[in-house]
Amino acid sequence: MVLTVSDKELIGYAKKLKSACDERHDEYCRKCPFNKDRVCTINIPSVWDIPLLISDDEKAILRNLDGELKWIARDKDGKVFIYTNKPIKIYNSWNDKSIVYKMVFPKLFQWVKWEDEEPYYIPDLLDEN
């Protein structure tokens, strides 16, 4: 399935709407047609769970990393790290016994979240197909 920019914008809007619905229960929500007993009934298909678009700046950084660095993840404290081996979540951070690089650009990689179940595999992020 190939998504266009407008498809991705629609998906982003639906996710924001769902998030806002989960966070608020005010007058607006009571009038919402998707509100059933204070529960949002918007069903976002799992095929919509696609990563956000990676920016050209982020791709440039990832392309210029040492070739051994293959995984990127964000710790609970918000810091982003890059690993040679796939890390696992332990308590409040991702851990691995490999080379670790701390990302020094805090405004980039905002789509990498602590809540992610898996770290991101960098070669997949750079796949230009």
Side-chain angles (χ1 to χ4, degrees), residues 27-84:
E27 184 65 30
Y28 174 80
C29 290
R30 284 192 287 278
K31 295 177 184 176
C32 178
F34 299 107
N35 181 349
K36 181 170 172 67
D37 299 325
R38 297 182 66 138
V39 174
C40 181
T41 59
I42 296 173
N43 185 14
I44 298 176
S46 62
V47 294
W48 286 11
D49 292 335
I50 57 172
L52 298 176
L53 291 175
I54 184 170
S55 74
D56 290 339
D57 290 337
E58 292 166 335
K59 281 185 177 184
I61 290 168
L62 296 178
R63 277 191 201 107
N64 286 287
L65 292 173
D66 183 308
E68 294 180 11
L69 297 168
K70 301 286 186 195
W71 299 91
I72 184 169
R74 182 179 301 273
D75 285 352
K76 193 170 186 176
D77 65 5
K79 295 177 183 154
V80 175
F81 293 90
I82 299 177
Y83 304 85
T84 55

Short mmCIF file of all heavy atoms in Angstrom, two decimals, residues 27-84:
data_model
loop_
_atom_site.label_atom_id
_atom_site.label_comp_id
_atom_site.label_asym_id
_atom_site.label_seq_id
_atom_site.Cartn_x
_atom_site.Cartn_y
_atom_site.Cartn_z
N GLU A 27 -17.38 19.71 26.97
CA GLU A 27 -18.61 19.95 26.22
C GLU A 27 -18.47 19.51 24.76
O GLU A 27 -19.37 18.91 24.19
CB GLU A 27 -18.98 21.45 26.29
CG GLU A 27 -20.29 21.78 25.63
CD GLU A 27 -21.49 21.15 26.30
OE1 GLU A 27 -21.46 20.92 27.52
OE2 GLU A 27 -22.47 20.86 25.59
N TYR A 28 -17.33 19.81 24.16
CA TYR A 28 -17.10 19.42 22.78
C TYR A 28 -17.19 17.90 22.62
O TYR A 28 -17.82 17.40 21.69
CB TYR A 28 -15.73 19.92 22.32
CG TYR A 28 -15.33 19.44 20.96
CD1 TYR A 28 -15.83 20.06 19.81
CD2 TYR A 28 -14.47 18.36 20.80
CE1 TYR A 28 -15.48 19.61 18.55
CE2 TYR A 28 -14.12 17.91 19.54
CZ TYR A 28 -14.63 18.53 18.42
OH TYR A 28 -14.28 18.08 17.18
N CYS A 29 -16.59 17.18 23.52
CA CYS A 29 -16.59 15.72 23.44
C CYS A 29 -18.00 15.14 23.60
O CYS A 29 -18.34 14.15 22.98
CB CYS A 29 -15.66 15.12 24.48
SG CYS A 29 -13.92 15.44 24.10
N ARG A 30 -18.81 15.76 24.45
CA ARG A 30 -20.17 15.24 24.65
C ARG A 30 -21.00 15.33 23.38
O ARG A 30 -21.89 14.54 23.16
CB ARG A 30 -20.86 15.99 25.79
CG ARG A 30 -20.35 15.55 27.16
CD ARG A 30 -21.25 16.07 28.28
NE ARG A 30 -21.07 17.50 28.50
CZ ARG A 30 -20.10 18.04 29.22
NH1 ARG A 30 -19.22 17.26 29.80
NH2 ARG A 30 -19.99 19.34 29.37
N LYS A 31 -20.66 16.27 22.50
CA LYS A 31 -21.38 16.45 21.24
C LYS A 31 -20.78 15.62 20.10
O LYS A 31 -21.35 15.54 19.03
CB LYS A 31 -21.38 17.92 20.84
CG LYS A 31 -22.14 18.80 21.81
CD LYS A 31 -22.04 20.25 21.39
CE LYS A 31 -22.71 21.16 22.40
NZ LYS A 31 -22.54 22.57 22.05
N CYS A 32 -19.65 15.03 20.33
CA CYS A 32 -18.95 14.28 19.30
C CYS A 32 -19.73 13.01 18.94
O CYS A 32 -20.14 12.25 19.82
CB CYS A 32 -17.54 13.90 19.78
SG CYS A 32 -16.62 12.90 18.58
N PRO A 33 -19.93 12.74 17.64
CA PRO A 33 -20.67 11.53 17.25
C PRO A 33 -19.92 10.24 17.56
O PRO A 33 -20.51 9.16 17.54
CB PRO A 33 -20.86 11.71 15.74
CG PRO A 33 -19.79 12.65 15.31
CD PRO A 33 -19.53 13.55 16.49
N PHE A 34 -18.62 10.35 17.85
CA PHE A 34 -17.83 9.16 18.17
C PHE A 34 -17.75 8.91 19.68
O PHE A 34 -17.08 7.99 20.12
CB PHE A 34 -16.40 9.29 17.60
CG PHE A 34 -16.38 9.41 16.12
CD1 PHE A 34 -16.08 10.61 15.51
CD2 PHE A 34 -16.65 8.31 15.32
CE1 PHE A 34 -16.06 10.73 14.13
CE2 PHE A 34 -16.64 8.41 13.93
CZ PHE A 34 -16.34 9.63 13.34
N ASN A 35 -18.42 9.73 20.48
CA ASN A 35 -18.40 9.60 21.93
C ASN A 35 -19.52 8.67 22.36
O ASN A 35 -20.69 8.94 22.14
CB ASN A 35 -18.57 10.98 22.57
CG ASN A 35 -18.54 10.93 24.08
OD1 ASN A 35 -18.59 9.88 24.69
ND2 ASN A 35 -18.48 12.10 24.68
N LYS A 36 -19.17 7.58 22.99
CA LYS A 36 -20.16 6.66 23.52
C LYS A 36 -19.81 6.40 24.97
O LYS A 36 -18.82 5.75 25.27
CB LYS A 36 -20.18 5.35 22.73
CG LYS A 36 -21.23 4.37 23.24
CD LYS A 36 -21.37 3.20 22.28
CE LYS A 36 -22.24 2.13 22.82
NZ LYS A 36 -23.61 2.42 22.99
N ASP A 37 -20.60 6.98 25.86
CA ASP A 37 -20.39 6.83 27.30
C ASP A 37 -18.97 7.24 27.69
O ASP A 37 -18.27 6.53 28.42
CB ASP A 37 -20.66 5.39 27.75
CG ASP A 37 -22.10 4.98 27.49
OD1 ASP A 37 -22.99 5.85 27.61
OD2 ASP A 37 -22.31 3.80 27.16
N ARG A 38 -18.53 8.40 27.19
CA ARG A 38 -17.23 8.99 27.49
C ARG A 38 -16.05 8.17 26.99
O ARG A 38 -14.94 8.27 27.47
CB ARG A 38 -17.08 9.26 28.98
CG ARG A 38 -18.09 10.27 29.50
CD ARG A 38 -17.87 10.52 30.95
NE ARG A 38 -16.56 11.17 31.09
CZ ARG A 38 -16.32 12.17 31.90
NH1 ARG A 38 -17.27 12.63 32.66
NH2 ARG A 38 -15.12 12.70 31.97
N VAL A 39 -16.31 7.31 26.00
CA VAL A 39 -15.25 6.52 25.38
C VAL A 39 -15.25 6.82 23.89
O VAL A 39 -16.29 6.78 23.24
CB VAL A 39 -15.48 5.01 25.61
CG1 VAL A 39 -14.46 4.18 24.85
CG2 VAL A 39 -15.45 4.69 27.10
N CYS A 40 -14.10 7.14 23.37
CA CYS A 40 -13.97 7.43 21.95
C CYS A 40 -14.10 6.14 21.16
O CYS A 40 -13.42 5.15 21.43
CB CYS A 40 -12.61 8.07 21.67
SG CYS A 40 -12.39 8.50 19.94
N THR A 41 -14.99 6.14 20.18
CA THR A 41 -15.21 4.95 19.37
C THR A 41 -14.52 5.04 18.01
O THR A 41 -14.79 4.22 17.14
CB THR A 41 -16.72 4.70 19.17
OG1 THR A 41 -17.29 5.83 18.52
CG2 THR A 41 -17.40 4.42 20.49
N ILE A 42 -13.64 6.03 17.84
CA ILE A 42 -12.89 6.11 16.58
C ILE A 42 -11.97 4.90 16.52
O ILE A 42 -11.18 4.65 17.43
CB ILE A 42 -12.06 7.41 16.49
CG1 ILE A 42 -12.98 8.63 16.47
CG2 ILE A 42 -11.16 7.38 15.26
CD1 ILE A 42 -12.24 9.94 16.57
N ASN A 43 -12.08 4.15 15.46
CA ASN A 43 -11.25 2.96 15.30
C ASN A 43 -10.21 3.24 14.23
O ASN A 43 -10.55 3.34 13.05
CB ASN A 43 -12.11 1.75 14.93
CG ASN A 43 -11.31 0.47 14.86
OD1 ASN A 43 -10.18 0.42 15.33
ND2 ASN A 43 -11.88 -0.55 14.27
N ILE A 44 -8.98 3.39 14.63
CA ILE A 44 -7.90 3.65 13.68
C ILE A 44 -7.30 2.31 13.27
O ILE A 44 -6.76 1.59 14.11
CB ILE A 44 -6.82 4.57 14.30
CG1 ILE A 44 -7.46 5.92 14.66
CG2 ILE A 44 -5.65 4.74 13.34
CD1 ILE A 44 -6.55 6.88 15.35
N PRO A 45 -7.42 1.96 11.99
CA PRO A 45 -6.89 0.66 11.54
C PRO A 45 -5.40 0.53 11.80
O PRO A 45 -4.66 1.51 11.72
CB PRO A 45 -7.17 0.68 10.02
CG PRO A 45 -8.20 1.73 9.82
CD PRO A 45 -8.01 2.73 10.92
N SER A 46 -4.96 -0.68 12.09
CA SER A 46 -3.54 -0.90 12.39
C SER A 46 -2.67 -0.60 11.18
O SER A 46 -1.49 -0.28 11.34
CB SER A 46 -3.31 -2.32 12.87
OG SER A 46 -3.67 -3.24 11.86
N VAL A 47 -3.21 -0.67 9.96
CA VAL A 47 -2.40 -0.33 8.78
C VAL A 47 -2.03 1.14 8.79
O VAL A 47 -1.15 1.56 8.07
CB VAL A 47 -3.11 -0.67 7.45
CG1 VAL A 47 -3.28 -2.17 7.30
CG2 VAL A 47 -4.42 0.06 7.31
N TRP A 48 -2.72 1.94 9.62
CA TRP A 48 -2.39 3.36 9.73
C TRP A 48 -1.25 3.59 10.70
O TRP A 48 -0.77 4.69 10.83
CB TRP A 48 -3.60 4.15 10.19
CG TRP A 48 -4.62 4.34 9.13
CD1 TRP A 48 -4.71 3.72 7.91
CD2 TRP A 48 -5.74 5.23 9.19
NE1 TRP A 48 -5.79 4.16 7.23
CE2 TRP A 48 -6.45 5.08 7.99
CE3 TRP A 48 -6.20 6.11 10.14
CZ2 TRP A 48 -7.59 5.81 7.72
CZ3 TRP A 48 -7.34 6.84 9.88
CH2 TRP A 48 -8.03 6.68 8.67
N ASP A 49 -0.83 2.58 11.41
CA ASP A 49 0.26 2.72 12.37
C ASP A 49 1.59 2.68 11.64
O ASP A 49 2.35 1.73 11.73
CB ASP A 49 0.20 1.63 13.44
CG ASP A 49 -0.99 1.79 14.35
OD1 ASP A 49 -1.48 2.92 14.48
OD2 ASP A 49 -1.45 0.78 14.91
N ILE A 50 1.84 3.73 10.89
CA ILE A 50 3.08 3.83 10.13
C ILE A 50 3.96 4.88 10.80
O ILE A 50 3.45 5.80 11.44
CB ILE A 50 2.81 4.23 8.66
CG1 ILE A 50 2.04 5.55 8.60
CG2 ILE A 50 2.08 3.14 7.93
CD1 ILE A 50 1.88 6.12 7.21
N PRO A 51 5.27 4.75 10.68
CA PRO A 51 6.12 5.76 11.29
C PRO A 51 5.92 7.11 10.60
O PRO A 51 5.56 7.18 9.44
CB PRO A 51 7.54 5.25 11.06
CG PRO A 51 7.43 4.06 10.21
CD PRO A 51 6.00 3.69 10.07
N LEU A 52 6.15 8.16 11.34
CA LEU A 52 6.07 9.49 10.76
C LEU A 52 7.16 9.65 9.73
O LEU A 52 8.15 8.92 9.72
CB LEU A 52 6.25 10.54 11.86
CG LEU A 52 5.19 10.53 12.96
CD1 LEU A 52 5.55 11.56 14.02
CD2 LEU A 52 3.82 10.83 12.38
N LEU A 53 6.97 10.60 8.85
CA LEU A 53 7.99 10.84 7.84
C LEU A 53 9.29 11.29 8.49
O LEU A 53 9.29 12.15 9.36
CB LEU A 53 7.53 11.93 6.88
CG LEU A 53 6.38 11.58 5.96
CD1 LEU A 53 5.95 12.81 5.16
CD2 LEU A 53 6.77 10.47 5.01
N ILE A 54 10.35 10.67 8.09
CA ILE A 54 11.66 11.05 8.60
C ILE A 54 12.14 12.24 7.77
O ILE A 54 12.04 12.25 6.55
CB ILE A 54 12.64 9.85 8.53
CG1 ILE A 54 13.98 10.20 9.14
CG2 ILE A 54 12.75 9.29 7.16
CD1 ILE A 54 14.89 8.99 9.33
N SER A 55 12.65 13.26 8.44
CA SER A 55 13.06 14.48 7.73
C SER A 55 14.37 14.26 6.97
O SER A 55 15.13 13.32 7.26
CB SER A 55 13.22 15.64 8.72
OG SER A 55 14.40 15.46 9.48
N ASP A 56 14.62 15.14 6.01
CA ASP A 56 15.87 15.06 5.25
C ASP A 56 17.08 15.25 6.17
O ASP A 56 18.11 14.59 6.00
CB ASP A 56 15.90 16.12 4.15
CG ASP A 56 14.90 15.82 3.04
OD1 ASP A 56 14.50 14.64 2.90
OD2 ASP A 56 14.53 16.76 2.31
N ASP A 57 16.95 16.14 7.17
CA ASP A 57 18.05 16.34 8.13
C ASP A 57 18.32 15.07 8.92
O ASP A 57 19.48 14.69 9.13
CB ASP A 57 17.72 17.48 9.11
CG ASP A 57 17.71 18.84 8.44
OD1 ASP A 57 18.36 19.00 7.38
OD2 ASP A 57 17.06 19.75 8.98
N GLU A 58 17.26 14.40 9.35
CA GLU A 58 17.43 13.17 10.12
C GLU A 58 18.06 12.08 9.26
O GLU A 58 18.95 11.35 9.72
CB GLU A 58 16.08 12.72 10.67
CG GLU A 58 15.54 13.66 11.73
CD GLU A 58 14.08 13.44 12.06
OE1 GLU A 58 13.31 12.92 11.22
OE2 GLU A 58 13.69 13.81 13.18
N LYS A 59 17.61 11.98 8.01
CA LYS A 59 18.21 10.99 7.10
C LYS A 59 19.69 11.28 6.88
O LYS A 59 20.51 10.36 6.88
CB LYS A 59 17.49 10.99 5.75
CG LYS A 59 16.18 10.25 5.77
CD LYS A 59 15.59 10.19 4.37
CE LYS A 59 14.32 9.39 4.36
NZ LYS A 59 13.75 9.23 3.02
N ALA A 60 20.04 12.54 6.72
CA ALA A 60 21.45 12.90 6.50
C ALA A 60 22.30 12.49 7.70
O ALA A 60 23.40 11.96 7.53
CB ALA A 60 21.57 14.40 6.25
N ILE A 61 21.79 12.72 8.90
CA ILE A 61 22.53 12.32 10.10
C ILE A 61 22.70 10.81 10.13
O ILE A 61 23.80 10.29 10.36
CB ILE A 61 21.81 12.82 11.37
CG1 ILE A 61 21.93 14.35 11.47
CG2 ILE A 61 22.37 12.15 12.62
CD1 ILE A 61 21.02 14.97 12.50
N LEU A 62 21.61 10.06 9.91
CA LEU A 62 21.68 8.60 9.97
C LEU A 62 22.58 8.03 8.88
O LEU A 62 23.30 7.07 9.12
CB LEU A 62 20.28 8.01 9.90
CG LEU A 62 19.35 8.34 11.06
CD1 LEU A 62 17.97 7.72 10.84
CD2 LEU A 62 19.93 7.88 12.39
N ARG A 63 22.56 8.63 7.70
CA ARG A 63 23.42 8.16 6.61
C ARG A 63 24.90 8.34 6.94
O ARG A 63 25.74 7.61 6.42
CB ARG A 63 23.11 8.93 5.33
CG ARG A 63 21.95 8.41 4.57
CD ARG A 63 21.89 9.08 3.18
NE ARG A 63 20.56 8.96 2.66
CZ ARG A 63 19.68 9.95 2.58
NH1 ARG A 63 20.01 11.17 2.94
NH2 ARG A 63 18.48 9.74 2.10
N ASN A 64 25.21 9.32 7.75
CA ASN A 64 26.61 9.63 8.04
C ASN A 64 27.12 9.02 9.34
O ASN A 64 28.24 9.32 9.76
CB ASN A 64 26.80 11.15 8.05
CG ASN A 64 26.77 11.71 6.65
OD1 ASN A 64 27.70 11.53 5.89
ND2 ASN A 64 25.65 12.33 6.28
N LEU A 65 26.35 8.17 9.95
CA LEU A 65 26.82 7.46 11.14
C LEU A 65 27.80 6.36 10.73
O LEU A 65 27.77 5.88 9.59
CB LEU A 65 25.64 6.81 11.87
CG LEU A 65 24.64 7.74 12.54
CD1 LEU A 65 23.45 6.93 13.06
CD2 LEU A 65 25.29 8.52 13.67
N ASP A 66 28.60 5.95 11.68
CA ASP A 66 29.45 4.78 11.48
C ASP A 66 28.55 3.62 11.05
O ASP A 66 27.47 3.43 11.59
CB ASP A 66 30.16 4.46 12.80
CG ASP A 66 31.13 3.31 12.67
OD1 ASP A 66 30.73 2.24 12.17
OD2 ASP A 66 32.27 3.47 13.10
N GLY A 67 28.99 2.85 10.09
CA GLY A 67 28.19 1.75 9.54
C GLY A 67 27.78 0.70 10.55
O GLY A 67 26.85 -0.07 10.31
N GLU A 68 28.48 0.64 11.68
CA GLU A 68 28.14 -0.35 12.71
C GLU A 68 26.91 0.06 13.52
O GLU A 68 26.29 -0.77 14.17
CB GLU A 68 29.31 -0.54 13.66
CG GLU A 68 30.52 -1.17 13.02
CD GLU A 68 31.65 -1.34 14.02
OE1 GLU A 68 31.44 -1.16 15.23
OE2 GLU A 68 32.77 -1.63 13.57
N LEU A 69 26.56 1.34 13.52
CA LEU A 69 25.43 1.83 14.31
C LEU A 69 24.14 1.55 13.55
O LEU A 69 23.91 2.09 12.48
CB LEU A 69 25.60 3.32 14.60
CG LEU A 69 26.82 3.65 15.46
CD1 LEU A 69 27.09 5.14 15.46
CD2 LEU A 69 26.62 3.15 16.88
N LYS A 70 23.30 0.68 14.12
CA LYS A 70 22.13 0.17 13.39
C LYS A 70 20.78 0.43 14.06
O LYS A 70 19.75 0.22 13.44
CB LYS A 70 22.27 -1.34 13.19
CG LYS A 70 23.49 -1.77 12.45
CD LYS A 70 23.36 -1.47 10.98
CE LYS A 70 24.56 -2.04 10.23
NZ LYS A 70 24.67 -1.51 8.91
N TRP A 71 20.74 0.83 15.32
CA TRP A 71 19.47 0.94 16.05
C TRP A 71 19.36 2.29 16.73
O TRP A 71 20.34 2.80 17.26
CB TRP A 71 19.37 -0.17 17.10
CG TRP A 71 19.41 -1.53 16.50
CD1 TRP A 71 20.51 -2.30 16.27
CD2 TRP A 71 18.29 -2.27 16.02
NE1 TRP A 71 20.14 -3.48 15.68
CE2 TRP A 71 18.78 -3.50 15.52
CE3 TRP A 71 16.92 -2.02 15.98
CZ2 TRP A 71 17.94 -4.46 14.99
CZ3 TRP A 71 16.08 -2.99 15.45
CH2 TRP A 71 16.60 -4.19 14.96
N ILE A 72 18.13 2.85 16.77
CA ILE A 72 17.89 4.11 17.43
C ILE A 72 16.67 3.97 18.35
O ILE A 72 15.67 3.36 17.97
CB ILE A 72 17.72 5.27 16.42
CG1 ILE A 72 17.56 6.61 17.12
CG2 ILE A 72 16.57 5.00 15.46
CD1 ILE A 72 17.65 7.82 16.19
N ALA A 73 16.80 4.53 19.57
CA ALA A 73 15.71 4.44 20.55
C ALA A 73 15.80 5.61 21.52
O ALA A 73 16.87 6.20 21.68
CB ALA A 73 15.79 3.12 21.32
N ARG A 74 14.68 5.93 22.16
CA ARG A 74 14.62 7.02 23.13
C ARG A 74 14.37 6.44 24.51
O ARG A 74 13.47 5.63 24.71
CB ARG A 74 13.49 7.99 22.77
CG ARG A 74 13.41 9.19 23.71
CD ARG A 74 12.29 10.14 23.31
NE ARG A 74 12.43 10.64 21.96
CZ ARG A 74 13.14 11.72 21.62
NH1 ARG A 74 13.76 12.42 22.55
NH2 ARG A 74 13.21 12.11 20.36
N ASP A 75 15.19 6.87 25.49
CA ASP A 75 15.00 6.46 26.88
C ASP A 75 13.83 7.23 27.50
O ASP A 75 13.35 8.22 26.96
CB ASP A 75 16.27 6.71 27.70
CG ASP A 75 17.36 5.70 27.41
OD1 ASP A 75 17.11 4.72 26.69
OD2 ASP A 75 18.48 5.90 27.93
N LYS A 76 13.40 6.79 28.65
CA LYS A 76 12.26 7.42 29.32
C LYS A 76 12.55 8.88 29.67
O LYS A 76 11.64 9.71 29.69
CB LYS A 76 11.90 6.65 30.59
CG LYS A 76 10.56 7.06 31.17
CD LYS A 76 10.11 6.13 32.26
CE LYS A 76 8.71 6.51 32.70
NZ LYS A 76 8.19 5.56 33.68
N ASP A 77 13.81 9.23 29.88
CA ASP A 77 14.16 10.62 30.22
C ASP A 77 14.22 11.52 28.98
O ASP A 77 14.53 12.70 29.07
CB ASP A 77 15.47 10.69 30.99
CG ASP A 77 16.68 10.22 30.18
OD1 ASP A 77 16.55 9.92 28.97
OD2 ASP A 77 17.78 10.16 30.77
N GLY A 78 13.93 10.96 27.80
CA GLY A 78 13.86 11.75 26.58
C GLY A 78 15.13 11.75 25.74
O GLY A 78 15.13 12.27 24.63
N LYS A 79 16.21 11.17 26.23
CA LYS A 79 17.47 11.15 25.47
C LYS A 79 17.42 10.05 24.41
O LYS A 79 16.93 8.96 24.65
CB LYS A 79 18.64 10.94 26.41
CG LYS A 79 18.83 12.11 27.35
CD LYS A 79 19.95 11.87 28.32
CE LYS A 79 20.02 13.05 29.29
NZ LYS A 79 20.60 12.69 30.55
N VAL A 80 17.96 10.37 23.23
CA VAL A 80 17.99 9.43 22.11
C VAL A 80 19.39 8.84 21.99
O VAL A 80 20.38 9.56 22.04
CB VAL A 80 17.59 10.14 20.80
CG1 VAL A 80 17.72 9.21 19.61
CG2 VAL A 80 16.17 10.68 20.90
N PHE A 81 19.44 7.52 21.83
CA PHE A 81 20.71 6.82 21.69
C PHE A 81 20.69 5.95 20.44
O PHE A 81 19.65 5.49 20.00
CB PHE A 81 20.98 5.93 22.91
CG PHE A 81 21.21 6.71 24.17
CD1 PHE A 81 20.15 7.04 25.01
CD2 PHE A 81 22.49 7.13 24.51
CE1 PHE A 81 20.36 7.77 26.17
CE2 PHE A 81 22.71 7.86 25.67
CZ PHE A 81 21.64 8.18 26.50
N ILE A 82 21.89 5.72 19.91
CA ILE A 82 22.06 4.86 18.74
C ILE A 82 23.00 3.73 19.14
O ILE A 82 23.99 3.95 19.83
CB ILE A 82 22.60 5.67 17.56
CG1 ILE A 82 21.59 6.76 17.22
CG2 ILE A 82 22.86 4.77 16.36
CD1 ILE A 82 22.00 7.68 16.11
N TYR A 83 22.66 2.51 18.72
CA TYR A 83 23.36 1.30 19.16
C TYR A 83 23.86 0.48 17.98
O TYR A 83 23.28 0.53 16.90
CB TYR A 83 22.40 0.41 19.96
CG TYR A 83 21.76 1.09 21.14
CD1 TYR A 83 20.60 1.85 20.98
CD2 TYR A 83 22.29 0.97 22.41
CE1 TYR A 83 20.00 2.48 22.07
CE2 TYR A 83 21.69 1.59 23.51
CZ TYR A 83 20.55 2.33 23.32
OH TYR A 83 19.96 2.95 24.39
N THR A 84 24.89 -0.32 18.24
CA THR A 84 25.35 -1.26 17.21
C THR A 84 24.49 -2.52 17.21
O THR A 84 24.20 -3.07 16.15
CB THR A 84 26.83 -1.65 17.41
OG1 THR A 84 27.00 -2.16 18.71
CG2 THR A 84 27.75 -0.48 17.17
#
